[in-house]
């Protein structure tokens, strides 16, 4: 009996040892696999902690080595949910490609690292992408979209970490640089949200004085709501820029403002390209086609299927606040062509700039549909196909470039503009990835539905409950 008991104890001890060894071996295998393959399951509705198919395709096609350096310790990406999400996204890149190396660097305690990047302004949390001798810096703040709360404080609305890093990888691999000149000198309006959007999508921006600086180095120019008219020499300089010695291939993006006065030289220049910028402000009479009940914040409809089909969600609205009405003067003339990209609907009207304070919709003399954004081009055809062209994009609203429009994930303003400029500047290394929100799903309703829900929840439902209660009381009282 004692002998059997000793054997049982030995067998039991052996089983315990084998189980411990198996657990240790399993943990070791899991650790090795977790460093090489993604083993965790992302249960979020929008796969917020996983890279998408677009990024996986980029990583599968890599032929060069790419280094991702994060200027912070691993433990710095904790606490805040969006920092945790960004860390998870960064860790996906080396797991899906052996050509990607990810490392965290305490650059503040390593002066040699800062000396090796003397041309960069380094900040805590920035991401440095390197491929060969090409370097791309991504600031930590540019990896997120922001919004203001009801109390006026700024908060993170969604993460664009995957888009920023993937676009950055494409940028350092391609060696392609698209230079954009931001024209100044005529009281142009500053739009920091728009310029930041372009910088985050790997455009190189520089301020340019139209009257004095050389324009030949720029692939595109931005002319944002100048308050004073261009001189005849300025107009001639723009024409020469767009003609580019017969090579074409240049783009001018012009956005108008309701605060502008008449600009005869600029207006004549645009009319020669087939676009007229009218007087007044566009308003919308249908609540469901406005933003938060504001009639002068109307929604514009897509007219160009080409650019609508480039959107992740082709039904996403395009907001054109405080817009001036546009008119297309011709569809084609003397080698110049026009195409309406966005348009206001039939329910949109125009309030003249000199209208009195008691102006109402019934007083409007001009009604839609009318263009909101027009693409004008000068083309050279060879063998029946477009061989060369330069383009002017005319937007009736410069306010469409503000953060309220570009950082709102329910609108398509930012994605549409990036796609448009990518196409016109013939950028091949571009990627469009939807921002990822960690918030719960919101109830997406327009202003008309908000009004209907308000009536139902505030009046109809309480009244129905009250009537039901009275009916039950009367039934029991007189039964």
């Amino acid at each position: 009996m004692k002998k059997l008991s000793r054997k049982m104890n030995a067998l039991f001890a052996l089983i315990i040892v084998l189980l411990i060894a198996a657990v240790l071996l399993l943990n070791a295998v899991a650790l090795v696999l977790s460093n090489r393959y993604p083993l965790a399951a992302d249960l979020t509705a929008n796969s917020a902690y996983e890279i998408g198919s677009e990024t996986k395709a980029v990583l599968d096609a890599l032929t060069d080595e790419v280094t991702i350096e994060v200027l912070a310790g691993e433990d710095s990406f904790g606490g805040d949910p969006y920092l945790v999400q960004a860390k998870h996204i960064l860790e996906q890149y080396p797991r899906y490609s052996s050509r990607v190396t990810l490392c965290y660097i305490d650059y503040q305690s390593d002066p040699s690292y800062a000396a090796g990047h003397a041309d960069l302004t380094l900040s805590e949390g920035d991401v440095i992408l390197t491929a060969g001798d090409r370097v791309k810096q991504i600031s930590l703040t540019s990896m997120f979209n922001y919004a203001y709360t009801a109390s006026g404080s700024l908060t993170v609305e969604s993460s664009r970490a995957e888009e920023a890093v993937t676009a950055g990888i494409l940028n350092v691999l391609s060696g392609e640089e698209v230079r954009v000149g931001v024209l100044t000198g005529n009281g142009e309006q500053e739009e920091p949200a728009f310029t930041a959007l372009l910088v985050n999508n790997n455009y190189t921006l520089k301020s340019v004085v139209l009257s004095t600086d050389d324009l030949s180095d720029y692939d595109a120019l931005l002319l944002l709501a100048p308050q004073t008219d261009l001189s005849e020499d300025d107009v001639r300089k723009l024409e020469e820029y767009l003609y580019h010695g017969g090579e074409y291939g240049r783009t001018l993006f012009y956005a108008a403002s309701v605060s502008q006065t008449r600009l005869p030289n600029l207006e004549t220049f645009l009319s020669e390209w087939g676009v007229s910028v009218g007087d007044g402000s566009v308003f919308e009479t249908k609540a469901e086609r406005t933003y938060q009940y504001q009639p002068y914040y109307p929604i514009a409809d897509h007219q160009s299927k080409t650019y609508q089909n480039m959107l992740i969600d082709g039904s996403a609205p395009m907001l054109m606040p405080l817009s001036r009405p546009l008119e297309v003067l011709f569809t084609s003339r003397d080698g110049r062509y026009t195409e309406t990209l966005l348009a206001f609907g039939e329910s949109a009207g125009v309030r003249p700039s000199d209208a009195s304070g008691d102006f109402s919709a019934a007083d409007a003399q001009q009604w839609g549909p009318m263009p909101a954004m027009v693409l004008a081009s000068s083309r050279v055809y060879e063998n029946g196909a477009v061989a060369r062209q330069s383009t002017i994009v005319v937007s009736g609203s410069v306010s469409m470039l503000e953060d309220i429009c570009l950082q709102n994930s329910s609108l398509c303003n930012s994605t549409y503009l990036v796609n448009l400029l990518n196409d016109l500047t013939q950028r091949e290394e571009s990627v469009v990835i939807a921002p990822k929100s960690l918030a719960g799903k919101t109830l997406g309703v327009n202003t008309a539905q908000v009004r209907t829900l308000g009536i139902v929840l505030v009046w109809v439902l309480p009244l129905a409950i009250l009537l039901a209660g009275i009916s039950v009381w009367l039934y029991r009282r007189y039964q």
Side-chain angles (χ1 to χ4, degrees), residues 33-229:
L33 291 176
S34 66
N35 291 331
R36 190 69 186 85
Y37 303 101
L39 301 182
D42 185 356
L43 302 180
T44 57
N46 60 350
S47 299
Y49 296 89
E50 293 289 334
I51 58 175
S53 57
E54 301 91 343
T55 297
K56 291 176 183 177
V58 170
L59 296 177
D60 287 340
L62 285 182
T63 57
D64 298 322
E65 300 295 323
V66 177
T67 301
I68 303 176
E69 297 173 325
V70 184
L71 305 187
E74 287 192 62
D75 55 353
S76 299
F77 285 78
D80 184 271
Y82 279 102
L83 288 177
V84 174
Q85 186 269 349
K87 182 174 183 290
H88 275 277
I89 290 297
L90 289 169
E91 291 172 347
Q92 300 299 307
Y93 287 85
R95 289 178 177 175
Y96 280 95
S97 176
S98 60
R99 296 187 179 276
V100 177
T101 302
L102 172 67
C103 53
Y104 294 85
I105 296 175
D106 184 3
Y107 76 101
Q108 293 178 336
S109 60
D110 183 5
S112 62
Y113 184 86
H117 296 80
D119 56 331
L120 301 179
T121 303
L122 304 180
S123 298
E124 181 81 13
D126 287 357
V127 176
I128 308 297
L129 304 174
T130 307
D133 58 352
R134 289 188 57 81
V135 177
K136 171 69 178 178
Q137 180 180 13
I138 303 173
S139 66
L140 178 63
T141 55
S142 69
M143 296 174 68
F144 308 102
N145 292 322
Y146 303 88
Y148 285 97
T149 64
S151 61
S153 59
L154 193 65
T155 184
V156 176
E157 183 183 49
S158 58
S159 169
R160 58 176 303 273
E162 181 187 351
E163 179 185 15
V165 175
T166 302
I169 290 175
L170 289 172
N171 179 256
V172 295
L173 291 176
S174 70
E176 179 184 6
E177 183 181 40
V178 179
R179 292 171 57 83
V180 178
V182 183
L183 297 178
T184 61
N186 293 86
E188 287 82 1
Q189 190 164 316
E190 294 183 358
E191 292 296 345
F194 181 50
T195 53
L197 174 70
L198 296 183
V199 171
N200 292 340
N201 282 274
N202 302 317
Y203 285 88
T204 302
L205 270 65
K206 185 177 180 181
S207 295
V208 180
V209 179
L210 177 56
S211 59
T212 60
D213 290 340
D214 181 17
L215 306 180
S216 60
D217 290 337
Y218 299 95
D219 303 286
L221 299 175
L222 305 180
L223 182 59
L224 306 181
Q227 298 300 308
T228 60
D229 198 11

Side-chain angles (χ1 to χ4, degrees), residues 291 299 316-319 404-406 408-415:
Y291 177 77
I299 296 296
M318 190 81 174
L319 185 62
I404 191 176
C405 300
L406 298 182
N408 190 328
S409 58
S410 65
L411 302 173
C412 70
N413 288 47
S414 60
T415 305

Side-chain angles (χ1 to χ4, degrees), residues 258 279-283 296 322-325 349-353:
V258 294
D279 173 70
S281 306
V282 177
F283 64 87
Y296 292 98
L322 305 175
S323 178
R324 292 175 64 179
V350 178
R351 182 188 189 277
S353 59

